[in-house]
């Protein structure tokens, strides 16, 4: 799962950096690096150490909320993408609406509300609005990649609205990768024609994972 998360964040590009200031394999923010006393986020070892420490922190935060270990993985991935505070806001909102908060699928029913201006008027929401649908797509993408790495059929069928794009910036080089099971298998096989076809999808709605809300 750790490898799937790194692939989704940077496609294993050590020098990856985002428009919002996230760096390295796990796209960590400098303020998180300071928390874990990391000096160089472009150093693979330090970047992964910081990411692993942050993931461990998130797991401990959501362990009492998640119904089981499988659900804990989903909560952790969501918090890694959106930020733990925003996921806590979703949990409080779901509880206020009488929705079960032990499973990620149940929590997904309130995530679309988090992008609405009206959410700013809700007392329990303390971390502002965010694009909850992008976080839903992110969790699906990482879990699908985990399945692909394990040689199994991806558990989620990727819809156009679930398309997740990874933005990787290195000087003037910007690479867009369509994260879906079919495109991954074609791109990784070195099919240049398939790569060109994926570039035609740039205008589709998606989540630029490296443009993080969190960390």
């Amino acid at each position: 799962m750790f490898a799937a998360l790194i692939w989704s964040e940077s496609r294993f590009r050590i020098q990856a950096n985002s428009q919002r200031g996230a760096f390295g394999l796990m796209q960590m923010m400098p303020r998180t690096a300071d928390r874990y006393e990391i000096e160089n986020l472009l150093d693979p070892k330090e970047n992964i150490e910081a990411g692993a420490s942050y993931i461990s922190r998130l797991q401990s935060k959501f362990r009492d909320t998640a119904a089981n270990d499988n659900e804990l993985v989903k909560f952790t991935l969501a918090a890694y993408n959106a930020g733990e505070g925003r996921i806590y806001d979703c949990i409080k909102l779901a509880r206020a609406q009488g929705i079960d908060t032990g499973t990620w699928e149940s929590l997904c029913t309130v995530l679309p509300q988090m992008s609405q201006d009206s959410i700013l008027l809700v007392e329990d929401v303390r971390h502002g609005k965010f694009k909850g649908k992008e976080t839903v797509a992110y969790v699906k993408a990482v879990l699908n990649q985990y399945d692909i790495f394990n040689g199994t059929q991806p558990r989620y069928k990727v819809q156009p609205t679930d398309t997740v794009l990874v933005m990787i910036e290195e000087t003037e080089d910007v690479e867009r990768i369509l994260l879906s099971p079919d495109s991954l298998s074609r791109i990784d096989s070195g099919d240049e024609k398939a790569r060109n076809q994926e570039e035609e999808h740039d205008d589709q709605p998606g989540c630029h994972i490296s443009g993080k809300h969190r960390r």
Side-chain angles (χ1 to χ4, degrees):
M1 187 63 71
F2 206 72
L5 188 150
I6 294 176
W7 195 102
S8 300
E9 290 289 336
S10 66
R11 210 181 185 220
F12 303 130
R13 300 280 290 275
I14 294 173
Q15 301 295 322
N17 64 85
S18 76
Q19 293 176 334
R20 298 194 181 186
F23 291 93
L25 290 171
M26 299 193 69
Q27 289 293 277
M28 302 297 297
M29 295 293 285
R31 62 177 177 273
T32 305
D34 291 341
R35 177 188 299 171
Y36 299 110
E37 299 182 350
I38 300 300
E39 296 182 359
N40 182 11
L41 280 175
L42 294 181
D43 179 282
K45 182 176 182 294
E46 292 194 36
N47 190 281
I48 290 175
E49 286 178 349
S53 296
Y54 185 60
I55 287 173
S56 178
R57 167 189 166 87
L58 293 176
Q59 287 179 322
S60 65
K61 290 284 186 179
F62 292 98
R63 189 171 300 280
D64 291 338
T65 300
N68 52 52
D69 287 344
N70 287 332
E71 295 303 322
L72 178 59
V73 169
K74 298 172 186 177
F75 277 88
T76 301
L77 291 174
Y80 193 87
N81 175 255
E84 60 187 280
R86 289 191 171 99
I87 300 304
Y88 272 124
D89 282 349
C90 292
I91 291 171
K92 289 184 289 185
L93 182 63
R95 286 173 177 167
Q97 297 178 8
I99 297 172
D100 172 37
T101 58
T103 67
W104 173 244
E105 281 67 24
S106 294
L107 199 62
C108 284
T109 61
V110 302
L111 274 160
Q113 301 176 39
M114 303 307 295
S115 63
Q116 301 172 5
D117 290 338
S118 59
I119 204 69
L120 300 175
L121 303 177
V122 179
E123 183 178 357
D124 286 338
V125 175
R126 299 182 178 181
H127 296 86
K129 65 179 184 177
F130 71 100
K131 296 178 180 179
K133 289 183 179 180
E134 291 187 355
T135 299
V136 174
Y138 177 85
V139 172
K140 288 181 179 180
V142 177
L143 293 176
N144 274 358
Q145 188 59 37
Y146 171 78
D147 292 337
I148 291 170
F149 281 159
N150 281 286
T152 60
Q153 183 70 22
R155 68 194 73 183
Y156 295 107
K157 182 178 180 181
V158 178
Q159 304 294 336
T161 53
D162 291 333
T163 297
V164 180
L165 291 174
V166 180
M167 289 289 291
I168 301 172
E169 297 180 54
E170 293 184 333
T171 60
E172 297 180 354
D173 177 42
V174 178
E175 180 178 357
R176 292 191 178 194
I177 304 159
L178 181 64
L179 187 58
S180 66
D182 291 339
S183 63
L184 289 178
S185 62
R186 294 197 302 271
I187 290 174
D188 290 341
S189 68
D191 188 336
E192 189 64 30
K193 180 179 179 181
R195 185 183 296 273
N196 292 335
Q197 289 175 344
E198 300 309 334
E199 291 174 354
E200 295 176 0
H201 288 271
D202 281 354
D203 293 333
Q204 292 187 11
C207 168
H208 299 302
I209 296 180
S210 295
K212 295 297 186 296
H213 300 293
R214 50 86 182 114
R215 300 201 289 283

